Amino acid sequence: MLKFKDAITLALTKISSQKIWHGFFLSTEIILLTGVLLASSFLQGFKTSLHDFNNQGLNGKFIVTARNVRVNPDLKNDQTVWDLAESLYDQHTKEHANLAAQLNLPYDPASEEKPTEYLNGERIFKEYTKYAGLAIDEKMQGYHQAGLAELLQILNNYPYQKVYSESTIGTNGNLSILQEGHENLQDLKDPTSNSENPIFYGLHVLESAVYQYYLFDSADLKLEQNTIPVTMSLTTLEQYFDYTPLSDQASSEAKLARFREIYQRSQDLTITTCYRNEASKALIFQAQQIQNEIARHANEKDYNKPSLIHNLPSEPCGPVTVAEDTRSNDEIQQAQLQIAYQTALGEYEEPVQKIVNFKVIGIIPDIRQTTHSTDILAMIQSLGGINLATPLISRDYYEAHLTELSQIFHPPSTTDYLGTSESFLIEFKDANTATRFINEQSCTLKGGINNGCATEDKPFYLTADNNHSLIINNIIETLTSIIMIAILMIFVLTIILMTVSIMRSISSDRKEIAIFKATGFQRTQIITIYLTYTCLITSFIILVSIFLTLILGLILNPWLSSLLTTFLQASFFNLDNTIRAQLFEPQLANCLLTSLALLLVSLTAALLPTILKTKQSIIAGLKYE
Amino acid sequence: MQPSTIQQSPIIQANSLTKRFGNLEVLKNITLQVWPGEFLAIVGPSGNGKSTLLHILGCIDRPTTGDVYIMSKNTNKLTDRQLAKLRNQTLGFVFQFFYMQPHLTIAKNIEIPLMPARISPTKRRKLVQNVAELVGITSQLQQKPSTLSGGQLQRAAIARAIINQPKAILADEPTDNLDTANGANIINLLLNIKNQQNTALIIVTHDQQIAHMADRIISLENGTLQNVKI
Ligand SMILES: Nc1ncnc2c1ncn2[C@@H]1O[C@H](COP(=O)(O)OP(=O)(O)OP(=O)(O)O)[C@@H](O)[C@H]1O
Ligand SMILES: [Mg+2]
């Protein structure tokens, strides 16, 4: 064997003898390897940071939503439903006529629309008519809606943390927002074409434990009757405050600033609304119509004003007041009989109007972007939010104030023809169980959501769309594998370059090898020299690369990490500055593994040409130029 | 042709050597012995196989047929390792074109044959110093080969060849690249070494003067030994 010191001396001589291309090779190798090491450190940091941010609030939970999306029976085309609607019509109109006769009121059968009629000899079903609706409702009673019991049944084999139920209660009438104390009565006419979008079509009732993370520190879940504590969505509040929504391309800083602003403005926000039931709305509508009519005929001398004229409310959310009542006794009696008639039918409703206050006690950071993108950052940004239905009130509050609330809102119905008004949120401990549960137990949508899904075995449509931990988990995994493949490819390139260079460098040394042989070196001794050479050069590359990785990583880290922090704060609506992204996470194990692999590969690469070249005849080697 | 002392066995014994490069038969059935302490000159026209013969005798090349015995050992039957040891310990080769390692200092170049032998650093330094003094290049020891003159390189090559105190020195036209004065110096140097250490000296040359200083001259013509003069 050769002395270690000799081997080093000779190997170093070989290194110092290299040409320009060798310097080029060395720097390329160092750049590539530094790239590999830096990329894997950054990837790890990115993953950890993403995970840290994604681990906050509801996003840190693995929540599956279960909805009993029923297969809707084709009731519109079911002749028995038509017949049922007809018989309901007959029965009710007969009763109404009798009642009218008793009260000595005229009854006009045309005032109630028939549910079916013949058009060009063909019978058609008018599903929007009252009796058509009643018939469908009655039929729907026969269709079972799967509920908590069924859910718990199928959850048997899936360890879960907790099940929450979310129900929707719709408004009986109208809740319109008072703008600076002013009630916009024009909006009452047509609530659908509303410029002042009524935020409160209905409320969603959910255990506050689910969304506790999004409640303000000062949140009071038990406010008194006329002030309802609600949790609103970020988008709704943005609309309420009249902001123009930011574009998807807006900077993270801008998004974060907007969020912060809305968050701050919402801290002590109470939204005042005016509740009017249908009767109150009808009176206002009537008053408006009559006043318009009078205005239209103002110049006509012969025009007879109606005998009863109402003033529009004088104060916000007030009742209409009588402006002029010139009715005859007969007219007054007719009106009273009409009320008696409607009361007898159970359809009479006193007009109700009152101020209802909503105190905002939390913000659900909902998703702003809907554009689907393959850009990973855009995807993360579109998934950082929460997808709970809003406005939310807590189940406890709902149950405690059931009586007051039921004046304004109607309870969830199980006979809805389309959709469901109740869904369940199941919290799992880990992503695996959640994913397994969805994959194994979800029914499959038959086209759109209106075409149904539920089957006997699989009554629920299961999704993970309330929060995006599962999707983000997947993204992280996919991202990791993509980047890992890229890193591996660069690494393979590094290895190939290394192999080629070392082989080339050794092969060009035929003369030197011949001289060693001529002076009495054994083959193993020559091989030792070249392996030492390879070791030295590879170690040099590795050490310099690790050094550069550390230097570059430490230099770039503060800047890149703060960029990433802002991005993730904006994506995950995080105002808590204690969570910071750390992009640079040096990977000691990876580093060692990579280095070892590179060393092994280059030693193997060196071995082959050295073995071949030392087998050659000395004379041939000496003559080689 | 006969050795002075009958009992001695030859350092190098070549039996019926032939060497062919393809169709070209450069050496034809050559048999010869080299005795300890003998000065043997090989002469002959250019391209006639002198270098080839010297390479074979020095175990740097192999004959196509025939055997070379070094100190009575058949080199055909030696392992690579034993052959390397022979080149390192018993034979000292001085090439026509020196063949120094260009990136090592002269000192390191001279030291190279000591490396396989695992000799201690102090002893090595002393040996290098000794041979450098002997050949007269002490002041060039720390220089790189490219900065030396032909004569100095030749001396360094000789120093490298003799550092392990070989039994035979084989030199291929050692004065070819030198002027007459320098050439004479080199020959004197080699003769001194030969006389001091009883080393066999085999020199390929076409310088008649040098040839005549030899104990024995052999001439290679058309691949065979001719006019062998004592
Ligand atoms: N490796 C080889 N392959 C083919 N032919 C060779 C090889 N080595 C030598 N020769 C040929 O063998 C012959 C002898 O060559 P060699 O170098 O031994 O001659 P030489 O007598 O030393 O000549 P010079 O005096 O010019 O040095 C030449 O014709 C040469 O072309
Ligand atoms: Mg020659």
Side-chain angles (χ1 to χ4, degrees), chain A residues 386-405:
Chain A
I386 297 297
N387 221 359
L388 289 179
T390 51
L392 278 166
I393 60 169
S394 82
R395 190 158 287 285
D396 288 346
Y397 180 88
Y398 174 66
E399 272 154 18
H401 297 81
L402 207 51
T403 340
E404 301 108 270
L405 287 173

Side-chain angles (χ1 to χ4, degrees), chain A residues 220-488:
Chain A
D220 178 5
L221 286 161
K222 299 189 191 58
L223 290 176
E224 279 324 298
Q225 3 312 42
N226 262 343
T227 304
I228 302 172
V230 281
T231 302
M232 311 279 290
S233 81
L234 183 61
T235 321
T236 315
L237 287 167
E238 188 175 43
Q239 246 171 46
Y240 176 78
F241 290 126
D242 252 341
Y243 286 105
T244 323
L246 292 171
S247 81
D248 289 356
Q249 280 76 41
S251 70
S252 294
E253 280 87 355
K255 288 175 182 170
L256 204 53
R258 170 66 57 86
F259 178 45
R260 187 169 283 126
E261 217 174 297
I262 293 174
Y263 194 85
Q264 271 155 13
R265 286 183 70 176
S266 308
Q267 284 297 323
D268 244 326
L269 177 66
T270 300
I271 300 177
T272 307
T273 64
C274 171
Y275 170 72
R276 288 184 188 278
N277 69 356
E278 294 301 332
S280 167
K281 271 167 71 183
L283 275 178
I284 291 206
F285 188 44
Q286 210 180 4
Q288 281 170 331
Q289 264 191 330
I290 288 175
Q291 283 188 352
N292 287 345
E293 202 181 294
I294 293 171
R296 234 191 352 246
H297 298 285
N299 294 329
E300 294 169 29
K301 281 195 190 110
D302 306 340
Y303 176 65
N304 282 330
K305 282 202 265 183
S307 51
L308 180 61
I309 302 171
H310 283 109
N311 275 330
L312 285 173
S314 51
E315 69 214 64
C317 214
V320 291
T321 48
V322 175
E324 230 180 286
D325 191 352
T326 54
R327 288 179 298 176
S328 61
N329 281 342
D330 208 32
E331 276 176 317
I332 293 172
Q333 202 197 344
Q334 278 294 317
Q336 280 166 352
L337 283 174
Q338 200 68 43
I339 291 173
Y341 170 67
Q342 275 174 349
T343 311
L345 290 182
E347 284 175 3
Y348 180 71
E349 185 178 55
E350 277 288 339
V352 175
Q353 53 274 311
K354 63 174 177 179
I355 297 276
V356 180
N357 289 315
F358 291 94
K359 167 121 171 98
V360 178
I361 57 160
I363 299 180
I364 300 292
D366 56 344
I367 293 115
R368 286 179 290 222
Q369 316 195 135
T370 43
T371 41
H372 284 279
S373 172
T374 45
D375 171 4
I376 231 118
L377 291 183
M379 259 163 94
I380 290 169
Q381 199 144 53
S382 70
L383 292 172
I386 297 297
N387 221 359
L388 289 179
T390 51
L392 278 166
I393 60 169
S394 82
R395 190 158 287 285
D396 288 346
Y397 180 88
Y398 174 66
E399 272 154 18
H401 297 81
L402 207 51
T403 340
E404 301 108 270
L405 287 173
S406 62
Q407 288 173 358
I408 306 174
F409 302 98
H410 55 74
S413 142
T414 55
T415 59
D416 272 3
Y417 181 47
L418 293 175
T420 56
S421 54
E422 185 139 56
S423 57
F424 302 96
L425 305 183
I426 309 136
E427 184 186 335
F428 289 94
K429 214 181 240 149
D430 57 289
N432 279 349
T433 320
T435 316
R436 194 163 62 85
F437 181 60
I438 292 177
N439 291 343
E440 293 173 1
Q441 296 297 343
S442 178
C443 61
T444 330
L445 279 185
K446 302 174 171 70
I449 196 130
N450 288 349
N451 294 334
C453 172
T455 61
E456 189 101 354
D457 296 346
K458 295 179 173 175
F460 293 100
Y461 179 51
L462 303 173
T463 53
D465 56 6
N466 277 132
N467 68 346
H468 300 95
S469 346
L470 289 181
I471 302 172
I472 289 185
N473 255 25
N474 278 345
I475 291 183
I476 295 178
E477 303 281 298
T478 318
L479 181 73
T480 312
S481 24
I482 291 173
I483 297 185
M484 271 322 278
I485 288 171
I487 292 178
L488 265 181

Side-chain angles (χ1 to χ4, degrees), chain B residues 130-199:
Chain B
N130 286 347
V131 289
E133 269 166 32
L134 194 61
V135 301
I137 47 157
T138 8
S139 44
Q140 280 80 39
L141 277 178
Q142 295 318 315
Q143 286 171 235
K144 291 282 172 68
S146 56
T147 64
L148 265 63
S149 73
Q152 289 168 328
L153 280 175
Q154 193 65 273
R155 285 162 198 275
I158 290 167
R160 182 177 66 184
I162 62 171
I163 195 158
N164 270 336
Q165 299 188 320
K167 297 279 180 290
I169 299 168
L170 302 94
D172 195 351
E173 310 204 27
T175 59
D176 200 36
N177 297 311
L178 309 175
D179 57 46
T180 330
N182 250 320
N185 282 340
I186 292 289
I187 294 300
N188 285 333
L189 173 64
L190 286 171
L191 281 173
N192 275 344
I193 294 164
K194 168 191 111 72
N195 292 335
Q196 277 175 25
Q197 302 177 1
N198 197 34
T199 315

Side-chain angles (χ1 to χ4, degrees), chain A residues 40-67:
Chain A
S40 69
S41 309
F42 280 166
L43 175 64
Q44 190 57 41
F46 184 72
K47 270 174 66 178
T48 320
S49 305
L50 191 55
H51 182 263
D52 286 352
F53 275 89
N54 187 39
N55 215 13
Q56 302 303 309
L58 199 57
N59 273 331
K61 311 273 176 202
F62 298 101
I63 302 241
V64 173
T65 311
R67 293 184 193 85

